[in-house]
Amino acid sequence: MFHNDGFRVLDRQECLRLLAKVPVGRVVYTRQALPAVLPVNFSLDADSSVLLRTSAGSGLVHAIGGAVVAFEADDFDAATRSGWSVVVTGRATVVTDPAQHERLSRVGPRSWVVTCDDVFVRIESEMITGREVSGMRGAG
């Protein structure tokens, strides 16, 4: 049900279904005590964790170290003024288990940038929130 403001809260399953439809999101983390936002391609693992693939030497890898981060993805249609946004919040860790790394090399996200020292970052889906906005007639 949409509230009077045009927003509808999405449940966890709906959020995961929508996340699986888009290839790019943004990870929000702390870099040098300041907020940083990085657009990334991603995929979802079987346990609903968000998976990123990046270079072992990236600033993201050096900044996370088990820290709590946020990951956001969305899809909007400006013409109809409708869309959705999902935020996953949880601990981000580099996958260090060789068997998991091998499995993710086969089924995980493919980096859009070629690297020879790639690692996988797992963001646990400890909290997932989302909302959908319906088109607003007569607005602006």
Side-chain angles (χ1 to χ4, degrees), residues 79-81 134-140:
T80 63
R81 298 180 181 182
S134 64
M136 302 291 282
R137 289 187 211 152

Side-chain angles (χ1 to χ4, degrees), residues 111-132:
S111 179
W112 289 4
V113 178
V114 177
T115 64
C116 59
D117 63 343
D118 61 341
V119 295
F120 292 95
V121 172
R122 176 183 304 278
I123 302 171
E124 302 295 333
S125 59
E126 296 170 25
M127 183 170 58
I128 301 177
T129 59
R131 51 191 214 164
E132 180 180 38

Side-chain angles (χ1 to χ4, degrees), residues 3-32:
H3 300 286
N4 288 339
D5 61 4
F7 289 101
R8 180 174 70 91
V9 175
L10 302 173
D11 66 27
R12 182 181 178 93
Q13 286 310 113
E14 231 174 338
C15 288
L16 292 170
R17 180 184 61 78
L18 291 169
L19 281 176
K21 290 180 159 188
V22 294
V24 175
R26 287 154 292 286
V27 62
V28 181
Y29 62 103
T30 303
R31 181 177 58 208
Q32 298 177 350

Side-chain angles (χ1 to χ4, degrees), residues 25-30 36-38 40 50 52 60 64 67-73 86-92 123-124 127:
R26 287 154 292 286
V27 62
V28 181
Y29 62 103
T30 303
V37 180
L38 182 66
V40 292
V50 173
L52 317 174
L60 174 65
I64 55 167
V68 173
V69 303
F71 175 84
E72 189 270 344
V86 172
V87 176
V88 175
T89 306
R91 294 210 178 273
I123 302 171
E124 302 295 333
M127 183 170 58

